[in-house]
Amino acid sequence: MTSEPTLSIIIPAYNERARIGPALEQVLACIQQKKWPAEVIVVNDGSKDGTADIVRAIASKNSIIRMIENPSNCGKGYSVRNGMLHAAGDILMFTDADLSAPIEEAERLFAAIRDGADIAIGSRWLDRGRQTKHQPFYRQMFGRCFNAVTRFVMGLPFADTQCGFKAFRRDVAYTVFQLQRIERWGFDPELLFIAIKRGYSIREVPVTWGHDERSRLSYLKDGLKMLEELVYIRWNAMTGVYSRDVSAFQPEVPVPKS
């Protein structure tokens, strides 16, 4: 394995004591098997359940793992941005700690970027035959409805905007994530909206995916918040937030909103 990583795998984690250990074991096994020159960055989002201790113990025995601590519980969007703007790879990806999409599927994202895409996004809906465990019907309906609203409001031509399995070329990630403003669940459509506005190419890739019953997403509370955030994204676009020049900026993580 080379001294400098060419792949960075970012895993946001909030109270993931039950899942983070097995997840890191799977990620490490995959990296070893495929001989990926990779680093793994776990972003601890103010966990209170010992998640950080588990990560530290595993990292002490595996030099490719490091942990970044958020100043408090700042949200998934903030956590992913924090990891991305501290990553050193040429290709940067993030995945959920539940590994609903097996980490081996990341090779499909990497291949799309090596083939010329600036961004590759995993999709649960392009090939439903790849779903190993389906969501309950009400979750499927909510997800599809939210995606339809997102496509309409944001003009995003993707079958699945919310899958937590996305990869970026490093320079593209540094630009997109410096412009990101949504810090919780609704950050995925914002990333894609910014990328399209900046002229980046995005390839949607079908991935194997299995629903995890322990998902913390509240489809009523968080769904309403995400709809509010879609309006916020359109406002940011109208006021030029996403058009500013970031080429002269060094990667930095904004202070979380109070």
Side-chain angles (χ1 to χ4, degrees):
M1 189 172 294
T2 61
S3 58
E4 292 296 327
T6 60
L7 305 173
S8 296
I9 301 171
I10 289 89
I11 305 175
Y14 174 64
N15 287 347
E16 291 288 359
R17 179 177 180 177
R19 298 190 286 198
I20 196 62
L24 288 177
E25 290 177 5
Q26 292 178 52
V27 171
L28 287 169
C30 180
I31 290 172
Q32 183 176 20
Q33 178 188 12
K34 295 183 177 294
K35 296 181 170 58
W36 286 344
E39 65 172 351
V40 180
I41 301 174
V42 178
V43 184
N44 180 36
D45 191 25
S47 298
K48 306 293 186 183
D49 67 343
T51 293
D53 293 333
I54 295 172
V55 176
R56 288 191 194 98
I58 297 174
S60 69
K61 302 174 184 177
N62 298 275
S63 61
I64 66 170
I65 296 178
R66 58 190 171 106
M67 184 173 66
I68 296 174
E69 295 270 13
N70 286 348
S72 60
N73 175 230
C74 303
K76 182 181 177 183
Y78 183 96
S79 300
V80 171
R81 178 176 60 199
N82 199 355
M84 286 282 178
L85 295 185
H86 285 91
D90 296 319
I91 299 177
L92 283 52
M93 72 159 294
F94 68 88
T95 183
D96 293 333
D98 61 12
L99 295 184
S100 290
I103 192 60
E104 290 80 4
E105 293 289 275
E107 185 56 48
R108 301 172 66 84
L109 304 184
F110 301 154
I113 290 181
R114 293 181 184 121
D115 193 40
D118 295 316
I119 300 170
I121 65 174
S123 176
R124 298 162 290 185
W125 304 115
L126 282 183
D127 182 0
R128 295 192 64 184
R130 299 184 68 90
Q131 292 191 22
T132 58
K133 185 175 182 180
H134 294 277
Q135 293 175 306
F137 180 73
Y138 76 94
R139 284 183 174 267
Q140 289 189 41
M141 288 300 298
F142 179 89
R144 299 307 291 268
C145 288
F146 179 79
N147 193 65
V149 171
T150 301
R151 287 164 59 101
F152 177 76
V153 175
M154 309 300 297
L156 299 177
F158 307 111
D160 189 354
T161 61
Q162 295 301 116
C163 184
F165 203 66
K166 295 179 172 67
F168 304 73
R169 287 197 298 110
R170 178 171 56 185
D171 58 324
V172 172
Y174 282 177
T175 296
V176 170
F177 282 92
Q178 284 187 90
L179 294 170
Q180 175 199 341
R181 293 295 176 269
I182 305 298
E183 296 181 341
R184 294 195 178 270
W185 292 106
F187 77 103
D188 287 277
E190 183 187 30
L191 297 178
L192 300 176
F193 183 84
I194 294 170
I196 290 176
K197 190 170 185 63
R198 305 290 292 204
Y200 296 130
S201 62
I202 305 171
R203 188 171 305 174
E204 192 169 16
V205 179
V207 295
T208 299
W209 185 85
H211 174 63
D212 191 317
E213 297 289 349
R214 295 168 292 183
S215 173
R216 297 190 182 95
L217 181 65
S218 167
Y219 276 77
L220 179 59
K221 178 182 176 181
D222 295 319
L224 292 174
K225 181 63 176 177
M226 284 190 280
L227 291 176
E228 176 186 324
E229 288 169 343
L230 294 183
V231 176
Y232 180 54
I233 293 168
R234 296 299 306 188
W235 174 254
N236 284 343
M238 290 174 58
T239 55
V241 171
Y242 303 136
S243 300
R244 68 175 226 198
D245 182 16
V246 295
S247 60
F249 285 72
Q250 293 295 319
E252 59 182 20
V253 182
V255 174
K257 298 169 188 175
S258 58

